[in-house]
Amino acid sequence: MSNILIRPPWSLPERDVTAEGVFVRRREFLRALGIAGAGLAVPGMNRVVAAGTTPAGVAASTSNAPQRKYPALRNPKFNPGWALTDEEVAAHYNNFYEFSLVKHQVHRMVGKFVINPWKIEIAGLVEKPFVLDAHELIQEMPLEERVYRFRCVEAWSMVVPWTGFPLSKLIEKAKPRSEAKFVRFESFNKPDEAPGMKGSNYPFPYFEGLRMDEAMHPLTLVATGIYGKPMPKQHGAPVRLIVPWKYGYKSIKSVVKLEFVADQPKTFWEVMGPNEYPFESNVNPAVPHPRWLQSTERVIDTGDRIRTLPFNGYGDQVAKLYGKS
Ligand code: MTE
C-alpha cells in the first residue's frame, strides 16, 4: 500500500474547513443571542453531563447499546474542571473514514451500521484465544467517566467526558503470554454498512497498535460511551480506544480484534505515510507535521487557538514510558 499515493483526508479541501467554520460561527451567533435554533442544542446544555438529555441531531445516530449503565460516575482523578466541548459539535465533527472523508457528513452516514451484536476477538500470544460479546463486556465491567483532552494531528482539539474502563482490565482477562510485547487492534470490515469502505483504496479494516506498557497504562481507556451515554456510532460504537497522550488516529474506533504480538505491528496511517504518522505518535508541539504546525491547536467549538502541550498535557503520567521525566 505504501507506494499508492492517496491523499489522507486530513489534507481535505478547504471547503470543509470553511463549512465547519461557518457552522461554528452560526452556533456562536445563536448562542450570543440566546436562541436555540432548529437542530441546535440549548446553549450551555452540553456543558454538564445530564442523564437522558440528547441534543438534537445526536439521537438519530446514538447506539442501541444498553442504557442502564449511563451516566457512570465521574472519577474525581480525571475531572480537571475544564470546559467541556459542546456535545453536538463533537458529534458532528468526526474522523471515521469507513463512513465518509468529510467530518460533518459522518454522523449522517452511520444509519446502517449494525453495532449489536458485536464480537471482539482476543487472539495471538495469549494463554487461550477467545471471542467475547462487546455488550456483555460493557455490562460486566465497572464503568467510570473521565474528562480527557483529545488532540488530533490536524491541530484541533476537544475536551470530552468518556465513559469506559482501563484497557488493562481487558488485558488481564486476555492473559497475554510473556512474549507479547505489543497489542494490535483491528476495526470492523463491513462495506455494506459503511459506505466509505466500498471501493476505497485505503487499507481497511483500520488497524492500530500500542506497546504493551502503553496499553497497560492506567490512562489508556476502552471507551464505551461519551457525555454520559452509550457511544454514538460516529464516535466509534460500541467500543473504541482512547489514548489521550497520542494523536487522535491512535484511538481506534469500533474495535473487533485485539491481537497480542511479539513484534511492532504496522498501523493504518503508518502504512499510508510512514514518515508522517509514526507508530509512537505522542503529541509533541516541538515536532511539526508536514501539513500542520503542532505548536498550537484549535478548540473545535470555541475556535480558540491554544498552546499544545507535550504528551497533550499528560507528561507527568506518561513521560517516564519514554525515558523522559
Ligand atoms: N478509527 C477508525 N476505525 N476509523 C477512523 O477513521 N479515525 C481516527 C480515530 N479512530 C478513525 C478511527 C482519527 S484520525 C481521529 S482524530 C479520531 O478517531 C476521531 O474521533 P472522534 O470522531 O470521536 O472525535
Side-chain angles (χ1 to χ4, degrees):
M1 277 313 290
S2 49
N3 334 337
I4 301 175
L5 182 67
I6 312 170
R7 277 184 93 200
W10 298 326
S11 55
L12 263 187
E14 273 309 304
R15 65 182 150 78
D16 280 346
V17 178
T18 316
E20 190 262 341
V22 169
F23 172 70
V24 171
R25 280 197 298 280
R26 181 169 162 253
R27 289 186 54 83
E28 277 166 3
F29 176 66
L30 290 168
R31 239 188 239 164
L33 291 177
I35 295 170
L40 294 173
V42 178
M45 164 172 128
N46 307 314
R47 297 274 149 183
V48 288
V49 176
T53 53
T54 302
V58 178
S61 50
T62 294
S63 84
N64 55 350
Q67 304 269 343
R68 288 190 301 282
K69 302 197 76 172
Y70 302 89
L73 273 186
R74 190 173 289 177
N75 182 335
K77 281 198 218 145
F78 304 100
N79 187 18
W82 301 319
L84 299 183
T85 296
D86 181 277
E87 179 178 357
E88 192 181 3
V89 173
H92 292 181
Y93 192 82
N94 304 103
N95 278 335
F96 206 168
Y97 310 113
E98 289 88 332
F99 294 94
S100 172
L101 306 187
V102 182
K103 290 184 195 5
H104 58 266
Q105 296 282 355
V106 171
H107 71 280
R108 295 200 193 103
M109 310 302 276
V110 295
K112 283 196 187 150
F113 185 33
V114 178
I115 51 135
N116 196 356
W118 190 272
K119 300 283 170 225
I120 302 178
E121 191 187 339
I122 307 290
L125 301 169
V126 289
E127 272 182 21
K128 204 168 163 214
F130 60 96
V131 174
L132 52 86
D133 178 83
H135 299 283
E136 280 170 19
L137 179 72
I138 296 169
Q139 279 306 305
E140 183 187 319
M141 298 305 274
L143 301 184
E144 62 179 69
E145 185 175 79
R146 296 180 176 196
V147 175
Y148 276 171
R149 298 171 188 274
F150 188 87
R151 170 64 158 81
C152 178
V153 72
E154 296 164 320
W156 55 260
S157 68
M158 56 184 190
V159 173
V160 294
W162 301 108
T163 305
F165 57 87
L167 175 63
S168 62
K169 301 270 180 247
L170 181 55
I171 295 182
E172 280 161 23
K173 274 179 182 292
K175 298 201 174 71
R177 305 209 313 251
S178 57
E179 311 92 275
K181 302 289 179 236
F182 296 86
V183 193
R184 181 184 185 275
F185 302 87
E186 196 171 294
S187 196
F188 63 97
N189 190 15
K190 306 209 272 185
D192 289 342
E193 298 170 27
M197 297 184 95
K198 273 224 165 111
S200 168
N201 285 324
Y202 288 101
F204 290 127
Y206 197 97
F207 49 102
E208 254 304 333
L210 290 175
R211 280 174 9 197
M212 201 61 161
D213 58 346
E214 296 173 329
M216 289 298 289
H217 193 279
L219 281 176
T220 307
L221 206 65
V222 174
T224 66
I226 188 170
Y227 293 99
K229 298 169 206 153
M231 194 68 81
K233 293 179 182 178
Q234 67 268 35
H235 278 299
V239 291
R240 70 175 295 176
L241 210 64
I242 295 296
V243 196
W245 70 96
K246 293 180 179 283
Y247 291 117
Y249 53 87
K250 298 289 294 182
S251 292
I252 183 172
K253 295 176 167 181
S254 306
V255 175
V256 299
K257 185 172 177 184
L258 276 73
E259 188 178 359
F260 293 83
V261 293
D263 301 318
Q264 183 174 303
K266 286 269 175 254
T267 67
F268 183 90
W269 285 108
E270 194 190 8
V271 168
M272 299 292 300
N275 302 324
E276 298 190 16
Y277 312 107
F279 180 86
E280 191 172 274
S281 289
N282 294 327
V283 174
N284 188 347
V287 179
H289 183 276
R291 269 186 292 281
W292 307 280
L293 279 180
Q294 298 300 349
S295 49
T296 63
E297 63 202 47
R298 179 180 55 87
V299 180
I300 59 168
D301 59 344
T302 62
D304 293 345
R305 192 153 278 281
I306 58 172
R307 254 184 346 115
T308 292
L309 300 170
F311 299 106
N312 199 24
Y314 296 97
D316 285 353
Q317 290 100 308
V318 299
K320 55 183 176 296
L321 295 185
Y322 308 99
K324 303 190 169 95
S325 50

